[in-house]
Amino acid sequence: MHILNFYFTPFAVILIAFAVYFSEPERSVTYAALGLLAAAFAVNYWLSANVYRLMQVTRSIRGITVWINLLTSAALFYLLAPYWAPMWLLFLTGPAAAAMFMKKWQVFLTALASASLMFGIYYLRSLIMDMELSPQLLGMIATQAVFIVFFSMFTSAMAEMAVKVRDSLR
């Protein structure tokens, strides 16, 4: 879990900082995104700092962390995707975290939920803006969704392989 905090948290911060700096969304969107990011960072920090103190519920805390990250990614995507197209990359964080400690079928379902949530937000945005999802946009969304699932399964396989290598060296 800590390895994700070293790589995905800074990536998310950089992605959001770039979205805010380069696309200049409305002030309310900027404050909401930064506030959400700060709250998610604080919750993730507290949970990761206390996960070993609460050993009997460690798996539950890790699962909760995955879903908190997924819902945070969805909220940030909803806020900033109209201004910054790469925001969909946030949907990789939840399934990547799941890949570190969950079974493959759980990782797959998390990735599927992540991709579905992303599609749902694209669809909701199309309804709000009274625009149809064009075949080109649907193809782009499908490509992103497939990448989320494949990346998650790849990460899961790599985590599993690392454990096997570690165990074989004992």
Side-chain angles (χ1 to χ4, degrees):
M1 235 13 218
H2 295 297
I3 196 166
L4 291 170
N5 291 334
F6 289 126
Y7 294 103
F8 277 98
T9 301
F11 173 73
V13 170
I14 290 167
L15 184 63
I16 292 163
F18 281 13
V20 168
Y21 181 77
F22 290 113
S23 66
E24 300 176 4
E26 289 88 24
R27 199 174 292 269
S28 61
V29 171
T30 299
Y31 290 145
L34 294 176
L36 193 56
L37 181 64
F41 180 79
V43 169
N44 277 322
Y45 178 80
W46 186 87
L47 286 173
S48 67
N50 291 296
V51 73
Y52 296 113
R53 192 174 303 152
L54 307 166
M55 285 303 283
Q56 67 274 16
V57 290
T58 296
R59 276 210 178 270
S60 297
I61 289 174
R62 288 179 173 171
I64 290 167
T65 302
V66 167
W67 288 98
I68 287 172
N69 287 337
L70 187 56
L71 294 174
T72 302
S73 296
L76 289 166
F77 178 75
Y78 178 81
L79 289 171
L80 294 172
Y83 305 98
W84 195 249
M87 291 306 297
W88 72 272
L89 292 167
L90 289 175
F91 284 104
L92 294 170
T93 59
M100 296 296 130
F101 61 88
M102 290 183 174
K103 294 177 173 78
K104 282 190 179 184
W105 68 269
Q106 292 170 313
V107 173
F108 177 77
L109 290 179
T110 303
L112 194 61
S114 185
S116 299
L117 196 52
M118 180 190 67
F119 176 80
I121 293 169
Y122 272 122
Y123 181 70
L124 178 63
R125 280 280 181 193
S126 76
L127 292 177
I128 290 170
M129 296 182 339
D130 198 28
M131 294 177 65
E132 236 180 84
L133 290 176
S134 68
Q136 183 181 14
L137 183 58
L138 286 171
M140 182 195 74
I141 295 168
T143 302
Q144 292 169 351
V146 168
F147 182 77
I148 290 168
V149 173
F150 275 83
F151 178 81
S152 302
M153 299 313 293
F154 170 77
T155 306
S156 179
M158 292 300 289
E160 190 176 285
M161 187 184 313
V163 169
K164 286 179 183 177
V165 168
R166 180 200 66 194
D167 291 347
S168 72
L169 296 174
R170 289 185 180 177

